[in-house]
Amino acid sequence: MEVNLEAPGGLKREMRVTIPADRVSKAIDERLRTMSQRAKLPGFRPGKAPLKVIQQQFGPSARMDVVSDLVQRSYPEALVKVGARPAGQPQINVTAERPGEPLEYVASFEVYPEVQLSDLSAMEIEQPVVEVTEADVDRLVLNLRKGRRELSSVTRAAANGDMVKLDFDGKLDGESFAGGKGEGVEIELGAGQFLPDLENGIAGHVAGDEFEVPVNFPADYRAENLQGKTAQFSVKLHEVKEVVLPAPDDAVFLDAHKVDSVDSLRAKAREALENEKEKAIQRRQKNQVMEQLAERNSLEIPKSLVEQEIPGMRQQAVQRMNMQNVPAEKLAEMLPAQLFESGAERKVKLGLLLGEVIKQKDVKLDAAKVDAALDAMARDFEQPEQVKSYYRSRPEMMDGLRAMVIEDQVVEVLLAGAKKTDKPMSLEQLLNPQAPA
């Protein structure tokens, strides 16, 4: 077998393979002999038809099968011969396959790029320094109480914190506009669900009131036709409900959270916040490592690998947006490949860079950390042992968990060699990067 590898440019490769005619003829003869043993032809007992008759009857189809089989078998052999490492599946074009002559084909593919990592010790990482305070515990306990709130209709004027039910009809210069009308809408005053002018205009009114509220739209409002404009809203207030929270020491409330005292509840809340803090610190540091790894290393990315990532990313988007019942052709129109190209390129690039770090730093998967990760994940479920058994019975899920763990191990290695600077911040700033400093 003769193999020649050409590089048209970049990562593209064209591998020309020639298989000798005698190897092709021998394979066809063997295929025909096998077919003759089970062929049923008129006038002949099974397996007794002359080879010449078999050739006349099945020769073309046998040749097609043999050509396909030889291409599939010889492709890996040819790759080994020229030392090529394809990224993705090849495009194969048979260029010659005439009887009595060599079989020739061209396999076109991309190869993995040569990865040359920059100085990994030059990374500079901000290390959050965060203390869980009593105020943080207070906020979590308040949120837990809000989760078991009750609503009670009141006849007094609406105030911040109340739930109100209303109709509204907004007009700009006497004309209605998109999104400016609603009926039976329920909102919590002060929660920022409506523009401040509208919420402030509702406060102070009682159920049954009908009134007008001028509302100023900000200059950066998402609808350009409303930016910086003042609209007039007609409002009818149907109902005002007061939010009633359970007391922190309410027995039913404490029992719902499986504690028997306020002190126990606060201790449990603090433990949960400490766990969230550690996870958030790890996420923030990991994000910094990934960003700097991508920014500090230039890399030509195989398009074939990017194309392989896109279907999976589209499927994840379908699940997030609950679009499973949308027909496939409609999904391709609503979620075109271009939407995912940037993310797919980044994912492929980071995968190649992480692979090189694993090789250079000789990172080995830590089985104990895989078990710990599985334990941590299962703790969030009511029956953790069943969850762990479910994962262990599914190789693809365990492979995903192992990939996550070794990625975290690589991040640990890179963090260990990076320059770290302490950055004091509140827990709220850590958990919500958009929170004001």
Side-chain angles (χ1 to χ4, degrees), residues 216-234:
N216 296 308
F217 286 87
D220 60 351
Y221 192 68
R222 60 181 179 273
E224 292 185 7
N225 62 313
L226 299 175
Q227 290 176 352
K229 303 290 181 62
T230 299
Q232 199 71 19
F233 277 76
S234 299

Side-chain angles (χ1 to χ4, degrees), residues 1-4 15-23 70-82 102-105:
M1 181 173 67
E2 182 181 340
V3 185
N4 292 298
M15 185 173 68
R16 300 181 180 276
V17 181
T18 303
I19 299 175
D22 59 347
R23 180 176 171 183
L70 285 175
V71 168
Q72 290 182 28
R73 289 189 177 197
S74 63
Y75 174 68
E77 298 176 24
L79 290 175
V80 172
K81 194 167 185 177
V82 296
L103 168 63
E104 297 179 356
Y105 67 88

Side-chain angles (χ1 to χ4, degrees), residues 148 246-256 262:
R148 301 189 69 81
D249 60 353
D250 180 85
V252 175
F253 171 66
L254 292 174
D255 186 62
V262 174

Side-chain angles (χ1 to χ4, degrees), residues 46-85:
K48 297 299 182 178
L51 191 59
K52 186 175 182 180
V53 174
I54 294 293
Q55 190 172 20
Q56 290 173 344
Q57 186 76 18
F58 301 108
S61 63
R63 182 173 184 83
M64 288 178 60
D65 291 342
V66 164
V67 167
S68 176
D69 185 57
L70 285 175
V71 168
Q72 290 182 28
R73 289 189 177 197
S74 63
Y75 174 68
E77 298 176 24
L79 290 175
V80 172
K81 194 167 185 177
V82 296
R85 184 169 169 244

Side-chain angles (χ1 to χ4, degrees), residues 357-385:
V357 176
I358 289 171
K359 184 170 69 175
Q360 288 192 16
K361 299 292 186 180
D362 194 26
V363 181
K364 299 287 194 303
L365 179 66
D366 189 331
K369 289 186 176 181
V370 175
D371 291 338
L374 184 57
D375 288 341
M377 181 202 63
R379 275 197 298 269
D380 294 334
F381 296 86
E382 289 186 4
Q383 297 178 313
E385 290 303 320

Side-chain angles (χ1 to χ4, degrees), residues 370 373-374 377-378 381 384-402 404:
V370 175
L374 184 57
M377 181 202 63
F381 296 86
E385 290 303 320
Q386 287 189 11
V387 172
K388 289 191 285 187
S389 296
Y390 181 80
Y391 255 73
R392 291 191 178 109
S393 67
R394 283 159 176 76
E396 71 282 0
M397 297 179 77
M398 288 302 298
D399 286 345
L401 188 64
R402 293 186 188 100
M404 180 191 74

Side-chain angles (χ1 to χ4, degrees), residues 20-145:
D22 59 347
R23 180 176 171 183
V24 179
S25 298
K26 183 179 178 182
I28 293 174
D29 290 343
E30 289 176 355
R31 178 64 59 94
L32 289 171
R33 275 195 292 271
T34 300
M35 295 174 74
S36 71
Q37 294 173 4
R38 57 176 184 270
K40 295 181 180 179
L41 295 177
F44 299 96
R45 286 181 296 167
K48 297 299 182 178
L51 191 59
K52 186 175 182 180
V53 174
I54 294 293
Q55 190 172 20
Q56 290 173 344
Q57 186 76 18
F58 301 108
S61 63
R63 182 173 184 83
M64 288 178 60
D65 291 342
V66 164
V67 167
S68 176
D69 185 57
L70 285 175
V71 168
Q72 290 182 28
R73 289 189 177 197
S74 63
Y75 174 68
E77 298 176 24
L79 290 175
V80 172
K81 194 167 185 177
V82 296
R85 184 169 169 244
Q89 294 299 314
Q91 289 185 340
I92 295 180
N93 179 31
V94 176
T95 54
E97 53 94 23
R98 291 181 291 274
E101 296 184 8
L103 168 63
E104 297 179 356
Y105 67 88
V106 176
S108 302
F109 51 83
E110 289 179 293
V111 294
Y112 285 93
E114 182 179 351
V115 182
Q116 295 182 336
L117 295 173
S118 63
D119 183 5
L120 299 176
S121 65
M123 287 187 178
E124 298 181 1
I125 305 297
E126 288 184 345
Q127 186 167 271
V129 178
V130 181
E131 179 185 355
V132 176
T133 66
E134 288 300 303
D136 295 323
V137 176
D138 289 340
R139 276 191 292 271
L140 179 53
V141 171
L142 179 59
N143 287 336
L144 294 174
R145 292 170 63 202

